[in-house]
Amino acid sequence: MGSIGRRGFVAGTALTVFSAAAGSASASASTQTSALPQASASPQERQPEAEPDPVRKGARAEPEFRGMWLATVANRDWPSRPGLTPAQQRTELLAHLDKAVERRLNTVILQVRPSADALWPSPHEPWSECLTGVQGRDPGWDPLGTAVAEAHARSLELHAWFNPYRVARHADPGRLSAAHPARRHPDWIVPYGGQLYYNPGLPEVRRFVQDAMLDAVRRYDIDGVHWDDYFYPYPVDGEAFDDDEAYARYGGGFRDRASWRRNNIDLLVSETAARIKETAGRPRFGISPFGVWRNAGTDPEGSDTQSAQTYDDLYADTRKWIREGWIDYVIPQLYWNIGFAAADYAKLVPWWDETVRGTDVGLYIGEALYKCGDPAQPAAWQDPKELSRHLTLADRYPTVGGHCYFSAREVASDRIGAMAAVVADHYPTWVRPPR
C-alpha cells in the first residue's frame, strides 16, 4: 500500500507522511524550486466576462469556486527568491494574478502569515523573511495591500491564508528577529520535529494568534480568512509534543490529553469565527484540512481509507466545525488519484459531500496539481487527464461547489498540460466567485 501524505509545499524540507497500515511512513516532498515565468511589466486590467447564470451541473445554485493557493513559505511560489526589489516582487505577484485570470480561476489564496510573521506591516509580528531574506526587515512596500487591490482589479477574490501556530521551520529561537513575540515569551513555544511551534494549550497564545491574524482582516478588504491543515503538528516518530505543563494547568475536566487538545483547537476555530463576524467586512472563513477526518476502521462514521486522521493525529475535529457552522467553507485536501487504494479520491468526495449536506458550509475540493507529471508520483499522475477526471467525478455530487489547485507555481508551469485540460474540459468561460 502506498503511503498517505500531506501536501509538500515546504521546499527543501523532508515532510513526514503517514500510512495507517504501517503505523508511520516517511517520504520527502519535492525540493525543486523552478523559476517563475517572466512576468509582464504592466498588470492585466481587463475584466473577465462572466456567465450570466454561472451554476454548475448538479451543484448548489451559486457560482463555482475556482481557486489556487499562492504559497510564500520557503519561497515556494512567490517571491521566487528572497531579496528581490519591491518592483520585481510586485511584477512576479501580478504575473500570478494574471495567470489565474488566464486559467479562468476566480480566487487566489495568498499565504500572508507563513511562520508567525507577516506580509503586511503588522504591529504584532515581524516582516516575513521570504521577502528580504531577513526576518523583520521592511521590504519597502505592502504586499498584502497590493495583492488585494490588484486581485480586485481583475475581478478575483483574495483570501488571506494564515498559519496559526507554526513559529519557525527550525528549532533555534535565537534565529528569530530580536523583537519576535516568541523571544519575548519563550514559554509560549514548543520545539518539535526540528521546528518551533506556539503551544495551542495556552489561552494567551490562542488570543495572541487571533489578534495577529485579525489585524489583517481589519486593515484590508480581504474576501476570506483561510487556514490550511496545520494545527497541532503532524506526528514525528519517537518524539512527544511537550505540553505537559499546560495540560497540568488547563487539562482538568477532560478525559484525556487528546480530548483537551481537540478542545483547544475547537476554541481557536470557534472564537476566530465569532471575531470575524464582528468585523466590518465579515470575510468568509474557510479551512483546508488534510483530506481524512477518521478512517472507518477507527470510527464507523469515517471514510473508507487507511490514512493519517485529522481527528486523532492533528487534534482537529474538522467534521464538528462543519456541523457547528463555525466555518463558511471547507476545502479538504484530496491529494490522491482515483483508485488509490489507501485513500481513493472516488471514495473521499462522496464522504465529504455527505458531511456538508444539510449545512450552510461550502464544499470545494483541494486538488494536487503539483503531483501532475512528477516522476516520483504513481502512474495515474503522469496522465494529463487525471485531474480533469476528478472534476467530472465531483460534478456528480450536489454539494461540491468548486475546486482549488495547489499551487500557483504549477498553475503557471503546467508541467504536462493537466491544468490546460481542466480549463478546456470544465471552464469554458470565467465565472464570478461565490460570495
Side-chain angles (χ1 to χ4, degrees):
M1 181 183 73
S3 62
I4 306 299
R6 59 193 168 111
R7 67 182 175 205
F9 74 110
V10 181
T13 302
L15 299 181
T16 303
V17 297
F18 303 91
S19 169
S24 67
S26 64
S28 294
S30 171
T31 60
Q32 298 177 353
T33 53
S34 60
L36 290 169
Q38 193 67 28
S40 171
S42 59
Q44 183 182 50
E45 299 294 346
R46 66 179 177 84
Q47 299 286 331
E49 293 184 5
E51 291 179 343
D53 293 298
V55 180
R56 302 177 68 238
K57 301 184 297 294
R60 59 176 65 190
E62 66 176 23
E64 179 179 10
F65 183 98
R66 301 175 183 175
M68 75 175 187
W69 283 284
L70 180 53
T72 60
V73 65
N75 298 92
R76 201 280 177 193
D77 294 327
W78 174 80
S80 59
R81 59 180 173 83
L84 298 177
T85 67
Q88 290 169 327
Q89 291 179 8
R90 184 179 186 277
T91 295
E92 288 190 349
L93 174 62
L94 299 190
H96 281 300
L97 300 181
D98 288 342
K99 183 59 68 172
V101 173
E102 180 184 325
R103 300 294 193 192
R104 297 176 185 155
L105 305 181
N106 56 28
T107 305
V108 173
I109 301 176
L110 173 63
Q111 192 174 33
V112 300
R113 187 180 183 263
S115 298
D117 50 17
L119 270 76
W120 75 96
S122 169
H124 302 283
E125 293 177 310
W127 282 104
S128 176
E129 66 180 327
C130 74
L131 298 168
T132 64
V134 178
Q135 189 176 65
R137 179 176 292 173
D138 190 332
W141 70 303
D142 182 354
L144 177 53
T146 301
V148 171
E150 294 290 346
H152 290 172
R154 292 159 173 77
S155 297
L156 296 168
E157 282 205 347
L158 195 291
H159 293 216
W161 166 15
F162 306 87
N163 186 289
Y165 290 125
R166 181 173 57 215
V167 173
R169 295 173 50 252
H170 57 75
D172 181 6
R175 290 172 56 187
L176 301 172
S177 67
H180 198 290
R183 295 189 68 172
R184 299 198 306 269
H185 302 280
D187 54 313
W188 286 6
I189 59 175
V190 178
Y192 182 76
Q195 302 193 48
L196 295 175
Y197 298 89
Y198 282 129
N199 187 344
L202 298 177
E204 59 269 34
V205 164
R206 190 170 70 245
R207 182 71 183 190
F208 171 78
V209 298
Q210 291 176 38
D211 289 345
M213 293 183 287
L214 287 164
D215 177 69
V217 177
R218 296 189 180 100
R219 284 173 180 254
Y220 302 100
D221 185 23
I222 61 174
D223 301 291
V225 172
H226 183 89
W227 296 350
D228 54 20
D229 53 323
Y230 293 90
F231 297 99
Y232 277 86
Y234 280 83
V236 175
D237 276 350
E239 190 170 349
F241 188 81
D242 185 7
D243 56 1
D244 290 351
E245 185 177 338
Y247 181 49
R249 192 186 316 168
Y250 300 111
F254 293 90
R255 65 177 182 270
D256 53 32
R257 191 180 305 231
S259 299
W260 170 71
R261 286 178 173 175
R262 272 188 292 275
N263 184 69
N264 292 332
I265 304 303
D266 285 349
L267 288 171
L268 177 72
V269 175
S270 61
E271 290 172 0
T272 301
R275 295 183 69 183
I276 290 171
K277 287 180 171 64
E278 294 171 355
T279 62
R282 296 188 61 164
R284 301 177 78 201
F285 182 26
I287 295 179
S288 174
F290 181 80
V292 175
W293 171 70
R294 300 192 92 185
N295 299 312
T298 304
D299 185 323
E301 295 188 3
S303 53
D304 183 11
T305 48
Q306 300 174 47
S307 168
Q309 306 167 103
T310 62
Y311 182 94
D312 303 89
D313 296 312
L314 306 181
Y315 308 100
D317 191 352
T318 53
R319 189 180 69 163
K320 178 179 181 179
W321 307 342
I322 293 168
R323 290 182 167 183
E324 295 291 337
W326 292 337
I327 58 178
D328 297 303
Y329 68 82
V330 63
I331 310 181
Q333 296 171 26
L334 303 192
Y335 289 173
W336 307 290
N337 56 277
I338 296 171
F340 185 57
D344 188 345
Y345 184 94
K347 293 179 178 179
L348 281 163
V349 170
W351 187 90
W352 284 98
D353 168 72
E354 178 64 28
T355 297
V356 304
R357 198 171 296 174
T359 75
D360 291 326
V361 177
L363 172 61
Y364 318 129
I365 306 300
E367 301 288 353
L369 178 61
Y370 74 97
K371 288 186 175 181
C372 295
D374 181 349
Q377 297 297 331
W381 292 107
Q382 312 312 315
D383 182 349
K385 284 288 194 174
E386 172 68 22
L387 216 58
S388 181
R389 284 193 288 270
H390 286 199
L391 273 70
T392 299
L393 184 153
D395 255 344
R396 303 204 305 258
Y397 296 92
T399 66
V400 177
H403 301 259
C404 194
Y405 303 93
F406 192 84
S407 64
R409 188 172 73 191
E410 286 75 21
V411 168
S413 63
D414 199 17
R415 187 163 29 198
I416 59 172
M419 191 70 214
V422 165
V423 174
D425 295 344
H426 300 278
Y427 299 161
T429 59
W430 183 86
V431 299
R432 67 180 63 86
R435 182 63 174 162

